[in-house]
Amino acid sequence: MRPATLSLALTAAFVPMAAGAQQWRTIESARQLTNTAPATVNVSFAGGKFELRPLPGPLLYQMQLHYDEQVADAVHEFDAGNHRLTLGMSHANMGWRALRAMKDNEGGRMTLGLNPSVPIDLDLELGGAQAEVELGGMRVKNLKLKIGLAGGRFSFSSPNQAEMEKLSLDVGLGGVEFENLGNANAAEIDVNGGMDGINLDFGDSVMRNVTINADVAFGGLKIRIPNSVGVTIREETKLGSFKPQGFTKVNGAWFTPNWNQASKHVTIVANTAMGGLEVEHAAP
């Protein structure tokens, strides 16, 4: 009889810890790729180190999760009827107790690979995780990211192979950096929060026109856009002495000199408080 290639949990190992009542467990899980139909992927992780990368080959996904089973339950489920993949920790375990127990970088860990040939709506909820996420070359149709107390780096090192309808970013106390965001192929980016700052670096090019809706307090928002792209900034609230370098104000909005000539445009609708907005229209 052939091995059950569609089985989710492949191996599981217990790793005892001496401190307190912690009981650490490591689970490795994977699923065979049977088709490339669009899927919804929900990922939840309380705290520690989180890594996500493209995973070319015969698997839909591959995950390794190291967690304290005293405060959390692992999840690795695939709903074939709805093409929905749920990974990481049970959403019921995403509270403060689990976050405190796993926030140490030497504690909780999750590494995840997703097959880039499958179009996905990706929902990441990372309570206190320090994240390293590479999405270049994947087919991400929608990306929803919620980060609590840590932060991380997110990169599109190569173009997203699907047109992304929306990227939603909700950040608590952790700072977040996006690299080569122009490769995300996104039509709309919604940004909320960011106590320790949010950096959006579009890299050398922008694949399509994009609108950024920003509601940011305290930490501030920094956006770097290549100077080949036309940029306008529309203020929904007063930004004080905000005067972006190289922009001209016309009828209440700021424009770069190349707005009318540029083939690609970025529109920023900003609502900031106590943190400010910084926009750099820079050479690649």
Side-chain angles (χ1 to χ4, degrees), residues 141-177:
K141 296 167 58 184
N142 286 281
L143 174 59
K144 185 177 181 181
L145 173 63
K146 184 176 181 180
I147 294 182
L149 297 180
R153 185 179 66 86
F154 297 78
S155 177
F156 288 85
S157 60
S158 59
N160 181 13
Q161 297 302 305
E163 290 189 345
M164 187 185 300
E165 296 175 16
K166 181 182 287 189
L167 191 164
S168 298
L169 177 59
D170 190 344
V171 182
L173 296 178
V176 173
E177 295 186 5

Side-chain angles (χ1 to χ4, degrees), residues 196-210:
D196 286 337
I198 298 172
N199 295 327
L200 306 180
D201 190 337
F202 279 78
D204 295 340
S205 63
V206 175
M207 296 182 67
R208 61 197 293 214
N209 295 339
V210 57

